Amino acid sequence: MADEKKPTEQEQPEAANPAAMPQGEKKQPKQPKAPKGAKGAQKAPAAAPEPEGPPAEPAPRARLLDFYEQRVRAKLQQQFGFKNPHQIPRLLKIVLNVGMGDAVKNPKGLDAAAAELGSITGQHPVVTRAKKSIANFNLREGQAIGCAVTLRGARMYEFLDRFITVAVPRMRDFRGLPTKSFDGRGNYTLGIKEQMIFPEIDYDKVERIHGMDITFVTSAGRDDSALALLRELGMPFRGETPVAAA
């Protein structure tokens, strides 16, 4: 219609005039709508169900560790006259090493040896590699040549207890462990010809018989105190009556 007049700037609503808005307030942009398939992604993840039953009990303390603290420590201190209790020798770690000379040609044999070593110790072994190249042995630097496990703490004492009471009596023609295998610094190394002496090995699943080296690392700086420590822990040395751990 011709008589209608356009509204002036004063008659327009205040929201339409950007100059009339206060300085502290700004017009917020519209947020884009989420796609239809993303509605489920906005929901919080469901909480994991709580395990049923009573909580797991902690593992019992190693029997051989209690025997060492209650009897062996006092006996060694009296035998060698240690004035400081920190001088009393103790077992630091046990290292089991399996070397596979044909690991380059037969990688499956190395995998089987690593699986057997893991079942014996209850700990995943690490693969040992060659440190340098040797042409006469067709060996290159970095090639896998074996596997090893280092045991410490309660697991170390558990393995030593099973080794003394179960594995050593199953050795063929066993007449005692040699006493001349110390390195002069209180560490004892023992070689085993067959892994079948450990009860964790299944005879039907063994593909190849191999040996291993077991090193007992102690804090004693002398061989005589390290020998006394291992003797009191129950190691059956040749020509001696082994000590029975209570």
Side-chain angles (χ1 to χ4, degrees), residues 50-74:
E50 297 181 359
E52 298 180 358
E57 296 182 358
R61 188 177 172 87
R63 180 178 70 97
L64 202 59
L65 177 59
D66 293 337
F67 178 75
Y68 167 76
E69 293 180 351
Q70 296 173 4
R71 298 189 180 184
V72 177
R73 284 179 59 89

Side-chain angles (χ1 to χ4, degrees), residues 171-193:
M171 289 184 179
R172 187 179 303 176
D173 299 333
F174 179 71
R175 297 182 180 180
L177 301 178
T179 58
K180 298 181 180 181
S181 298
F182 289 90
D183 61 349
R185 293 175 292 180
N187 303 323
Y188 182 73
T189 303
L190 174 67
I192 296 178
K193 298 180 180 180

Side-chain angles (χ1 to χ4, degrees), residues 5-174:
K5 296 181 180 180
K6 295 181 179 180
T8 60
E9 294 180 359
Q10 298 178 356
E11 296 177 357
Q12 291 181 357
E14 297 180 356
N17 189 2
M21 297 179 62
Q23 296 181 359
E25 299 179 1
K26 293 183 180 181
K27 189 175 181 181
Q28 299 179 356
K30 294 183 180 180
Q31 298 180 356
K33 295 182 180 180
K36 295 182 180 180
K39 290 183 179 180
Q42 297 178 358
K43 297 180 180 179
E50 297 181 359
E52 298 180 358
E57 296 182 358
R61 188 177 172 87
R63 180 178 70 97
L64 202 59
L65 177 59
D66 293 337
F67 178 75
Y68 167 76
E69 293 180 351
Q70 296 173 4
R71 298 189 180 184
V72 177
R73 284 179 59 89
K75 192 170 183 179
L76 292 177
Q77 186 175 11
Q78 182 180 4
Q79 180 179 354
F80 293 95
F82 294 125
K83 297 181 180 180
N84 191 336
H86 297 286
Q87 293 178 324
I88 302 175
R90 67 183 186 278
L91 196 62
L92 297 179
K93 61 183 178 180
I94 298 177
V95 182
L96 291 87
N97 182 27
V98 177
M100 304 293 291
D102 59 344
V104 179
K105 300 179 181 179
N106 186 16
K108 292 185 178 180
L110 179 59
D111 297 338
E116 292 174 356
L117 190 60
S119 61
I120 291 172
T121 60
Q123 185 171 313
H124 185 71
V126 296
V127 177
T128 55
R129 301 184 180 275
K131 296 182 180 180
K132 61 180 181 179
S133 301
I134 302 176
N136 294 335
F137 298 105
N138 296 326
L139 187 64
R140 293 183 180 179
E141 183 180 358
Q143 287 183 343
I145 56 175
C147 54
V149 170
T150 302
L151 300 176
R152 292 183 175 88
R155 188 170 294 179
M156 171 186 65
Y157 283 98
E158 290 287 351
F159 171 79
L160 181 60
D161 194 1
R162 289 184 287 109
F163 176 75
I164 294 173
T165 57
V166 180
V168 170
R170 299 178 64 177
M171 289 184 179
R172 187 179 303 176
D173 299 333
F174 179 71

